[in-house]
Amino acid sequence: MGAGRLYAAVAAGGFRRYATYRAATAAGVFANTVFGLILVHAYLALWDERPQLGGYEQAQAVTYVWLGQALLAAAAIGGGGFEDELMERIRTGDVAIDLYRPADLQLWWLAADLGRAAFQLLGRGVVPFACGALLFDVELPSRPGVWAAFLVAVVLGLVVSFGIRYLVALSAFWLLDGTGVVQMAWLAGFFCSGMLLPLNVFPGGLGEAVRALPWSSLLQGPADVLLGKADALPTFAFQAAWAVALLAAGRLVQSAATRRVVVQGG
Amino acid sequence: MGEGGVARGGPDDRGAAGRRVADGVRAYRMIAAMWIRSTMAYRVSFALTTFGNFAATALDFVAILLMFSRVDALGGYALPEVAFLYGLSSVSFGLADLAIGSMDRLGRRLRDGSLDTLLVRPAPVLAQVAADRFALRRLGRVTQGALVLAYALWTVDIDWTVPKLLLMPVVLVSGAGIFGAVFVAGAAFQFVAQDASEAQNAFTYGGTTLLQYPPTIFGKELVRGVTFVLPLAFVNWLPAAYLLDRPYPLGLPGWLAFTPPLVAVACGAGAGLAWRAGLRTYRSTGS
């Protein structure tokens, strides 16, 4: 009970911290809206040539674009989560202080990152999505149950995203400079989450491969639940399996890494 | 163009202006050379980040290739033609990004007060900000754009004439000038909104992404906006319409394909004025 309150407070702190950057949030909303606008036109041209591409109607493809822009910052697909800070703390050795805290390192950062994501979803996601829905034909479900399922899929996607980035951040224990890993993770995330193009538009075997990878939980999964292209329960199961696997891997790496800290003497 | 913090009035004769430009270029060269030396101290890291820069920008083109794996044309343009637009836009943008892409760090300098250090140095502020953290790894983007452009020139069906050949380098340099002006204007905007570098990204990165697609896929309003308000269409859409013998966007007259240098100069002048105005409003945080 006490622990639950602690992590709730950490999450609230993450939320409040990002809420203070008002100008940055407004600028981000503007950037997301502009990129969404460009992408929508490209998609419309694509679906003009090939109606029903990837099993989507044109309006569904447009909805997909705005979902991507809405989830981009929240799921940190383009970077910008907690990982830079954790890596810096690992590099400087400050992480030793974190390990002394009577809180679990992984859960601490998960709570903080979920707080951040919640703010990004509201602060940077809702407005571009609303702009897109006003300016273009979109297809949105009317049943509240679908929206609820979509939200569950989004939250699971956020946990998967955290699981990936936690592993990326822990690599700093072994590498002096984590910039390269962060950049590669960012590229993989962008490509494999469906941010570039819906994964069901990817040709053949490439499409099957990217759909099986964890990144498909970030955008493709939630989008397909909202658009009625995937059943909720199998999607949840897929996302939860990846979340558990990645968090467990994070635990393992963390314990290996913290032993290393002791050896180094902090 | 920037004039060292203290706004001086008085006569502004040509000799003084010329000297300031020369000072600026010299300061820019020195600071950029310093940053190159410092990055070259870690050669492996430099190679990796340059490759990363190359790969990150290549993703845009991979997206276009994926689209063309499912269709034969986009807005009536085939892959070689889209690659041509992409190459022109990417090389121009890459050159501007290489030269002054670090200008979006100005917001951070405004917040932490470190702009003050630049103001007291005896060199134009604009040159110092432009050369700040000069990143040679951005050659990765230029290289990627150049490769796509080479592929496009290899495959695209252009009826080459002397004016067309002469126009090519002019278009690339003018495009870099137009994007450079957008970078400077964006930095000037940060004097007003210090925390808003992402708004600048919408025009710089967003601009180059927009130009990578044919004008035919966008709404008339949007095309009008990037022709008459923020004249990005002069980077590639208009000259490419001439080079590819395509109808001009908005039915504009053909000679406009030869005006990118004029547009670049006009944009540069406008951005320079905006920069001056921005710098005048600067009040130090005192930290």
Side-chain angles (χ1 to χ4, degrees):
Chain A
M1 193 59 207
R5 269 220 305 280
L6 168 69
Y7 296 118
V10 172
F15 186 97
R16 269 202 307 277
R17 183 172 160 201
Y18 280 83
T20 53
Y21 301 124
R22 289 208 196 116
T25 303
V29 164
F30 179 71
N32 285 137
T33 310
V34 169
F35 275 97
L37 213 61
I38 296 168
L39 220 51
V40 157
H41 284 101
Y43 279 32
L44 286 174
L46 198 58
W47 264 264
D48 266 343
E49 289 283 321
R50 283 281 302 271
Q52 290 292 327
L53 182 61
Y56 289 156
E57 305 282 342
Q58 205 165 45
Q60 290 176 321
V62 172
T63 315
Y64 183 94
V65 169
W66 294 107
L67 279 178
Q69 293 303 318
L71 290 173
L72 177 66
I77 300 172
F82 72 98
E83 58 274 22
D84 289 341
E85 200 184 339
L86 177 54
M87 287 176 113
E88 183 62 18
R89 291 186 75 79
I90 293 172
R91 203 179 61 76
T92 57
D94 286 346
V95 72
I97 304 165
D98 302 344
L99 290 167
Y100 269 115
R101 287 202 191 115
D104 182 80
L105 189 70
Q106 193 184 31
L107 282 178
W108 175 283
W109 285 106
L110 174 61
D113 197 54
L114 286 179
R116 176 202 60 81
F119 174 75
Q120 303 280 39
L121 202 57
L122 294 171
R124 282 189 58 168
V126 171
V127 176
F129 192 84
C131 283
L134 283 174
L135 292 171
F136 298 91
D137 276 338
V138 291
E139 192 180 300
L140 297 173
S142 49
R143 283 185 301 135
V146 181
W147 283 98
F150 166 68
L151 279 180
V152 172
V154 168
V155 173
L156 283 167
L158 296 177
V159 178
V160 172
S161 163
F162 169 83
I164 296 168
R165 287 176 293 125
Y166 195 66
L167 286 168
V168 168
L170 290 182
S171 73
F173 275 108
W174 288 270
L175 303 167
L176 282 173
D177 179 23
T179 326
V181 185
V182 169
Q183 195 167 34
M184 288 306 134
W186 174 81
L187 288 176
F190 228 75
F191 187 78
C192 303
S193 66
M195 208 50 221
L196 281 181
L197 205 60
L199 300 181
N200 44 23
V201 173
F202 281 42
L206 180 64
E208 278 168 41
V210 286
R211 279 193 295 276
L213 292 172
W215 288 283
S216 70
S217 305
L218 310 190
L219 171 58
Q220 188 68 51
D224 279 345
V225 169
L226 188 77
L227 296 170
K229 294 289 163 189
D231 289 328
L233 289 179
T235 306
F236 297 165
F238 175 83
Q239 292 176 301
W242 269 118
V244 168
L246 288 162
L247 291 178
R251 288 253 130 196
L252 275 175
V253 175
Q254 180 188 325
S255 65
T258 47
R259 272 200 300 278
R260 202 179 148 81
V261 171
V262 176
V263 172
Q264 285 182 336
Chain B
M1 276 179 263
E3 50 175 333
V6 194
R8 271 162 289 183
D12 191 26
D13 65 87
R14 276 183 186 281
R19 227 176 9 254
R20 270 213 309 276
V21 171
D23 279 355
V25 171
R26 204 161 50 89
Y28 178 89
R29 279 219 316 261
M30 278 166 59
I31 300 169
M34 180 197 79
W35 281 109
I36 292 173
R37 275 201 305 280
S38 110
T39 24
M40 282 308 163
Y42 303 97
R43 274 169 202 275
V44 176
S45 180
F46 170 75
L48 285 175
T49 50
T50 305
F51 173 76
N53 193 271
F54 178 94
T57 57
L59 267 192
D60 298 335
F61 194 64
V62 171
I64 290 174
L65 287 177
L66 281 173
M67 289 179 179
F68 275 95
S69 77
R70 312 303 297 265
V71 297
D72 296 325
L74 214 52
Y77 282 60
L79 179 59
E81 293 164 312
V82 173
F84 187 63
L85 290 176
Y86 180 102
L88 287 179
S89 166
S90 290
V91 172
S92 290
F93 180 74
L95 290 173
D97 185 45
L98 176 67
I100 59 174
S102 300
M103 290 205 74
D104 60 359
R105 290 179 52 82
L106 180 68
R108 191 180 307 180
R109 281 196 174 274
L110 291 167
R111 282 197 302 280
D112 66 18
S114 63
L115 184 69
D116 293 4
T117 337
L118 307 189
L119 292 176
V120 297
R121 284 190 198 141
V125 184
L126 181 60
Q128 293 185 61
V129 174
D132 193 16
R133 297 206 165 242
F134 180 84
L136 200 60
R137 64 164 185 277
R138 292 194 173 121
L139 278 175
R141 180 187 286 276
V142 182
T143 313
Q144 191 268 337
L147 284 176
V148 174
L149 185 59
Y151 159 78
L153 289 172
W154 188 257
T155 49
V156 83
D157 189 22
I158 293 181
D159 195 6
W160 287 106
T161 58
V162 174
K164 282 185 179 178
L165 275 173
L166 290 177
L167 188 59
M168 277 295 292
V170 175
V171 168
L172 290 175
V173 174
S174 312
I178 294 172
F179 273 125
V182 176
F183 272 110
V184 173
F189 174 67
Q190 289 191 48
F191 280 109
V192 187
Q194 313 194 343
D195 218 3
S197 63
E198 262 198 274
Q200 183 178 352
N201 292 349
F203 292 107
T204 51
Y205 294 97
T208 185
T209 309
L210 176 90
L211 296 178
Q212 287 163 3
Y213 294 101
T216 44
I217 73 170
F218 295 103
K220 276 229 162 55
E221 296 310 314
L222 195 59
V223 177
R224 269 193 204 113
V226 293
T227 308
F228 301 117
V229 184
L230 184 71
L232 294 174
F234 292 84
V235 171
N236 67 349
W237 281 352
L238 282 164
Y242 167 73
L243 291 162
L244 297 170
D245 286 320
R246 287 262 172 186
Y248 283 55
L250 310 171
L252 292 165
W255 53 267
L256 280 177
F258 295 93
T259 54
L262 298 176
V263 174
V265 169
C267 287
L273 287 176
W275 171 262
R276 269 189 184 215
L279 195 58
R280 286 226 175 86
T281 65
Y282 175 66
R283 295 284 174 274
S284 170
T285 54
S287 57

